Amino acid sequence: MAQNTDVATAAAAPRKAKKSQKPSGTSGMSRALVRRETISAYCFLLPSLVFFVGFVVVPMFICLFYSFLDYGLGGVAGFAGLDNYIQLFQDEVFHKGFMNTLLIVVVAVPTVTAFSLWVGSAIYKMHTIPRSFFRCVFYLPVVTGSVAVTVVWKWILHPYNGLLNQIAGTTGFDWLGNASTAIWFIILILFTTSIGQPIVLYVAALGNVDTSIIEAAQVDGATKLQVFWKIKWPAIMSTTLYVLVITTINSFQCFALIQLLTRGGPLNSTMTIMYQVYDTAYRLQDFGYANAIGVILAIIIAIFSAIQFKLAKTDN
Amino acid sequence: MIKKVLAILMTLCLVLGLAACSSSGETAAPAATEAPAATEAADATEAPADSAATDDSASAEPVEISLWSFNIGSFTETSSWDSVIAAFNEVHPEITVTVNAINYQDGDQRLTTAISSGTGPDIIFEGPERIVGNYAREGLMADLSDLWTASGSDISEGISSLSQLDGTYYFFPISAAAHCMAINYEVFEAAGALQYIDEETRTWTTDDFVAAMAAVRDAIEAGTVSVAVPGIIYCGAQGGDQGTRALVNNLYSDYFVTEDGSSYNANSAKNVQALTLLQTMVNDGSLSANASFAASDELQAFANQTCAVSFCWNYSNYAQYAAQTQFTPFAMAFPSDDGVPELEMAGPYGFGVFDKGDAAKVEAAKTFVDFVCNDQTAGVEVVKATGFFPVHTDWGDVYAGDADAADRAPFALMSDYLGRSYALTGGWTEQRALWWPLLAEIMTTGADPQTAADNYVAQANANIG
């Protein structure tokens, strides 16, 4: 028994030593100092953590909870179980909204990313003044309010007095009132307001690529395409991943443009899942169903983001 | 250790958050069921409604109530209510009224958010469509029957029926008018289309309307007039639907809802005939249709002479666009086959009181409503601010002697053509959303009117209850 205790003590000794040595061994700090710094770190994190929990995590759970209720303006009428979700899969407006949302994402995300990369590549080597000028030009729609942007586009696309119809000689044609053209103008306007941030990010990322590697590759006879594809592209992959995820989420959550320009019409041709959440909650005052749509939207976005992370990881 | 503490804190946050939310849900629900009890309590104490409140005002407990006011007429800002509230506080200094001015763009959203989170108003200034059709139906409103008993005897039967649900009054009106349409007088004159209207009664027949719009179209093609299109059927957004609805219903003298209120009626033979006529007029260029146009877009197009008629006219719009119009906007009734129009009511506008379980606030709110709607001095001021006409028939012509009395005369005339009101039909909110796609489908995609109307009625009737 005593032998066993000795063996155990002997075995535990190095572990204890290892454990106690780890902090001082790696950073030269005492355990007390590490603890103090850890507490400080958590104190600094706490405000944002409280904010995040209070305004993101809790509402998410509330949203999930309400999606199982029959909840209208008069309060909770009862437990709906999966009824809201079943209704959702039978709802033609939701189907239309889902397809439109998918179309916006599938078209907007690659075009925004590719165009931003192209513009970023073209301007990052420029001198400071022209580079700043182009960054400002492309970033302007981002800092301009959605209302101002839509007012300008409404004027451009006005059927009778609009700039586009005046130029094209198609006076009277209702671009936003035509079921086959409205969604494409929403995508176009979304595109113009989405490219600013990715361009700025790409300009910064491309500027940070190690020039010595590029010069070495050029000395070894690499073509411009090879330099881009083999050196720059891997170096800016993390930026690309960020741009893809952010653009995807923004595209899924496209709301202000639709609210201000078409309100989901004509004939639901610009209805999106995000707009249907708003419409169901605030016009039809069916909060339970609106929450169920919101939950499905969150799941779809999560799936898309996971796929993008996975693909980017594989690429790396 | 710290991780554990943090985890416990986060769990607590989540649990508290959920608990808070579930409790707010619980408080919202009883509001619907407790309303009668609270009302009974209020009724018991306030039988002598205004007189008791006035007598006891000096010794009464101070109460603070909130009024949310939609942008009706010139009630566009909080300060629009200052003089009315000042007059009220002279009589009832113990009641403090705070005003929140809301508009039709985001008012519903703000109200819904506030009501569902328990921070809604005590009084709302709007029409029965929301107050009775939405909120009373959800059990959120206080019973105003005692106000009606005391001072509603001279209000018309039509308005009275719009103010109640299942025999209980939830709305007290102050002003009303008729929705009508308008023509650009100078354009019609230049196009030779004035011959088709009766300028004295401001009416026209369906055939006259068709001929007049064709004349304007021909004048546009000949370059005689400078408008771009004769008229625009707006098929977008929610507001202003009463205009296109009244146009369709009047053309061949039918109704929007069947006599017994059990079904929407857009697919009746006469209404389909009207929709077909409008589709034909769009196709031949004597009208235009825009699915991206809301009523406000059409009004703006009328004001800047892009089109020659507006289907969404009333005194409020006249006043709003008067400064922009460089022509004579001539108010007209909607055309009908027999020349006898039946117009929809603009409003009536008035008050509803939310019952949030606080009997003192309900009583104070009713005292305010009673004062504003029945005190002739304050009431006339409010009526004039709305731009419409008093619902109290014994108030007479409140605009007599005013500088703009002549401008208001055509709109007073329109009140003679008031017809049925449908705003309290079940599923009204849902059918309004369906009305625009129906118009867009028929007018902009060339869909068969009968099929589209059948589809619309089937969907609208699903919510009629």
Side-chain angles (χ1 to χ4, degrees):
Chain A
M1 185 69 182
Q3 234 180 2
N4 282 349
T5 313
D6 289 346
V7 171
T9 313
R15 280 209 303 268
K16 273 185 178 175
K18 222 175 183 179
K19 217 174 178 181
S20 61
Q21 276 170 9
K22 199 179 174 185
S24 55
T26 52
S27 62
M29 291 189 291
S30 70
R31 189 188 293 180
L33 186 62
V34 170
R35 184 175 291 171
R36 269 208 304 278
E37 292 216 339
T38 310
I39 291 170
S40 304
Y42 277 116
C43 284
F44 280 113
L45 271 175
L46 198 62
S48 58
L49 196 67
V50 168
F51 194 83
F52 178 73
V53 170
F55 291 96
V56 178
V57 179
V58 172
M60 274 171 60
F61 279 96
I62 293 169
C63 177
L64 186 65
F65 175 62
Y66 281 166
S67 72
F68 296 107
L69 300 178
D70 181 4
Y71 181 23
L73 195 60
V76 177
F79 183 68
L82 291 173
D83 286 359
N84 288 329
Y85 290 93
I86 293 166
Q87 183 189 345
L88 198 141
F89 288 104
Q90 296 165 342
D91 184 353
E92 281 179 23
V93 179
F94 177 77
H95 298 163
K96 185 76 182 165
F98 177 75
M99 294 311 292
N100 286 336
T101 308
L102 214 59
L103 178 68
I104 290 172
V105 171
V106 167
V107 176
V109 174
T111 49
V112 165
T113 310
F115 185 79
S116 306
L117 181 57
W118 177 59
V119 173
S121 303
I123 66 174
Y124 89 100
K125 282 187 219 162
M126 289 180 177
H127 289 296
T128 314
I129 293 173
R131 191 173 63 212
S132 298
F133 170 75
F134 281 114
R135 277 199 301 201
C136 281
V137 166
F138 285 109
Y139 205 72
L140 206 58
V142 181
V143 294
T144 311
S146 303
V147 175
V149 170
T150 50
V151 165
V152 171
W153 275 102
K154 262 193 144 176
W155 170 69
I156 292 171
L157 300 173
H158 194 282
Y160 304 106
N161 312 314
L163 191 66
L164 182 61
N165 277 341
Q166 297 292 331
I167 293 169
T170 50
T171 303
F173 191 82
D174 196 355
W175 300 98
L176 291 173
N178 187 302
S180 53
T181 56
I183 188 75
W184 294 104
F185 277 96
I186 293 290
I187 293 172
L188 175 68
I189 301 166
L190 180 68
F191 174 83
T192 62
T193 54
S194 301
I195 54 173
Q197 200 180 9
I199 287 173
V200 170
L201 290 171
Y202 273 128
V203 169
L206 287 164
N208 285 333
V209 177
D210 192 344
T211 49
S212 62
I213 304 174
I214 297 171
E215 283 164 8
Q218 283 168 340
V219 169
D220 288 344
T223 62
K224 279 186 175 176
L225 188 67
Q226 284 171 323
V227 167
F228 176 79
W229 205 241
K230 301 288 183 186
I231 298 168
K232 290 180 184 173
W233 179 247
I236 60 169
M237 183 50 81
S238 56
T239 305
T240 304
L241 179 61
Y242 177 76
V243 167
L244 281 173
V245 172
I246 291 298
T247 314
T248 303
I249 293 172
N250 286 345
S251 302
F252 267 115
Q253 296 187 340
C254 174
F255 170 76
L257 291 179
I258 291 166
Q259 161 76 349
L260 295 166
L261 285 171
T262 60
R263 291 174 183 250
L267 304 171
N268 292 323
S269 65
T270 60
M271 179 62 77
T272 60
I273 302 176
M274 190 66 199
Y275 189 77
Q276 199 187 358
V277 171
Y278 166 83
D279 197 46
T280 307
Y282 290 108
R283 191 176 54 76
L284 300 176
Q285 293 160 347
D286 187 348
F287 303 134
Y289 188 48
N291 277 304
I293 301 172
V295 168
I296 295 297
L297 177 63
I299 292 170
I300 294 169
I301 293 175
I303 291 170
F304 264 76
S305 299
I307 292 169
Q308 284 172 337
F309 271 104
K310 186 78 182 167
L311 288 176
K313 216 173 179 183
T314 314
D315 243 21
N316 259 335
Chain B
M1 179 65 183
I2 289 169
K3 280 181 185 170
K4 278 182 182 173
V5 172
L6 202 65
I8 291 167
L9 274 174
M10 283 181 69
T11 314
L12 269 174
C13 281
L14 289 173
V15 172
L16 285 173
L18 283 172
C21 296
S22 57
S23 66
S24 71
E26 281 163 12
T27 49
T33 51
E34 283 173 14
T39 311
E40 279 168 23
D43 286 347
T45 53
E46 72 179 349
D50 48 348
S51 57
T54 311
D55 295 343
D56 299 341
S57 63
S59 58
E61 287 289 312
V63 183
E64 187 172 333
I65 53 173
S66 60
L67 161 68
W68 284 31
S69 164
F70 271 93
N71 54 327
I72 298 155
S74 60
F75 284 116
T76 52
E77 311 215 354
T78 304
S79 58
S80 314
W81 288 92
D82 284 353
S83 57
V84 176
I85 290 170
F88 173 68
N89 282 146
E90 279 180 19
V91 188
H92 295 282
E94 78 285 5
I95 299 173
T96 307
V97 184
T98 55
V99 180
N100 186 5
I102 55 176
N103 60 54
Y104 288 102
Q105 298 300 315
D106 65 352
D108 278 325
Q109 183 185 334
R110 291 176 62 185
L111 268 166
T112 302
T113 306
I115 292 167
S116 59
S117 63
T119 56
D122 298 300
I123 310 172
I124 179 172
F125 181 57
E126 226 292 281
E129 183 186 333
R130 283 180 179 81
I131 294 174
V132 182
N134 285 356
Y135 305 137
R137 219 167 237 144
E138 294 284 354
L140 300 170
M141 306 309 287
D143 184 354
L144 303 182
S145 300
D146 51 337
L147 295 185
W148 274 87
T149 308
S151 51
S153 58
D154 63 333
I155 298 172
S156 75
E157 181 56 36
I159 293 174
S160 167
S161 65
L162 280 174
S163 308
Q164 51 185 299
L165 188 67
D166 301 329
T168 305
Y169 287 94
Y170 295 102
F171 172 75
F172 201 93
I174 185 158
S175 69
H179 279 297
C180 57
M181 60 178 290
I183 62 168
N184 182 322
Y185 191 87
E186 286 78 8
V187 165
F188 266 57
E189 192 172 32
L194 286 179
Q195 59 177 308
Y196 301 113
I197 67 171
D198 184 333
E199 291 188 44
E200 193 183 337
T201 60
R202 296 185 181 242
T203 57
W204 46 354
T205 64
T206 300
D207 291 340
D208 287 335
F209 170 69
V210 173
M213 299 313 285
V216 174
R217 177 201 59 201
D218 295 343
I220 293 168
E221 284 170 4
T224 319
V225 295
S226 59
V227 294
V229 284
I232 298 169
I233 298 177
Y234 48 94
C235 314
Q238 184 127 338
D241 49 337
Q242 69 278 356
T244 47
R245 201 165 53 228
L247 175 66
V248 171
N249 293 329
N250 272 280
L251 284 172
Y252 292 102
S253 302
D254 207 345
Y255 296 100
F256 192 64
V257 176
T258 53
E259 187 83 41
D260 59 359
S262 63
S263 172
Y264 287 96
N265 199 35
N267 62 345
S268 71
K270 287 180 175 178
N271 280 332
V272 169
Q273 193 181 358
L275 288 166
T276 308
L277 173 69
L278 292 173
Q279 188 184 48
T280 309
M281 291 177 75
V282 169
N283 291 341
D284 71 17
S286 55
L287 278 177
S288 180
N290 288 107
S292 71
F293 264 43
S296 57
D297 298 313
E298 188 246 18
L299 280 163
Q300 190 58 61
F302 179 62
N304 62 25
Q305 304 201 59
T306 298
C307 59
V309 301
S310 170
F311 297 118
C312 189
W313 204 243
N314 53 44
Y315 183 79
S316 182
N317 288 340
Y318 167 78
Q320 190 181 341
Y321 290 92
Q324 295 178 43
T325 51
Q326 296 178 330
F327 60 93
T328 310
F330 193 82
M332 287 289 297
F334 285 98
S336 59
D337 54 352
D338 55 3
V340 183
E342 283 200 37
L343 303 182
E344 285 200 28
M345 198 180 293
Y349 295 107
F351 300 88
V353 173
F354 281 95
D355 185 349
K356 298 192 287 186
D358 186 335
K361 287 201 173 201
V362 169
E363 191 177 347
K366 287 169 81 170
T367 306
F368 177 79
V369 173
D370 184 39
F371 176 83
V372 174
C373 294
N374 299 319
D375 177 277
Q376 203 159 342
T377 311
V380 166
E381 189 182 340
V382 172
V383 168
K384 284 185 174 181
T386 64
F388 298 130
F389 303 94
V391 294
H392 284 297
T393 49
D394 58 8
W395 284 13
D397 183 1
V398 297
Y399 297 105
D402 287 3
D404 60 352
D407 294 339
R408 293 177 190 271
F411 300 97
L413 174 66
M414 293 302 159
S415 299
D416 297 342
Y417 305 131
L418 272 174
R420 281 171 59 187
S421 180
Y422 315 102
L424 295 186
T425 309
W428 187 253
T429 306
E430 288 83 356
Q431 80 71 30
R432 288 185 76 186
L434 297 166
W435 176 250
W436 303 114
L438 168 72
L439 284 183
E441 211 180 339
I442 295 170
M443 304 302 161
T444 68
T445 72
D448 173 46
Q450 184 68 62
T451 310
D454 285 342
N455 188 30
Y456 158 82
V457 169
Q459 290 183 69
N461 281 351
N463 301 301
I464 205 164

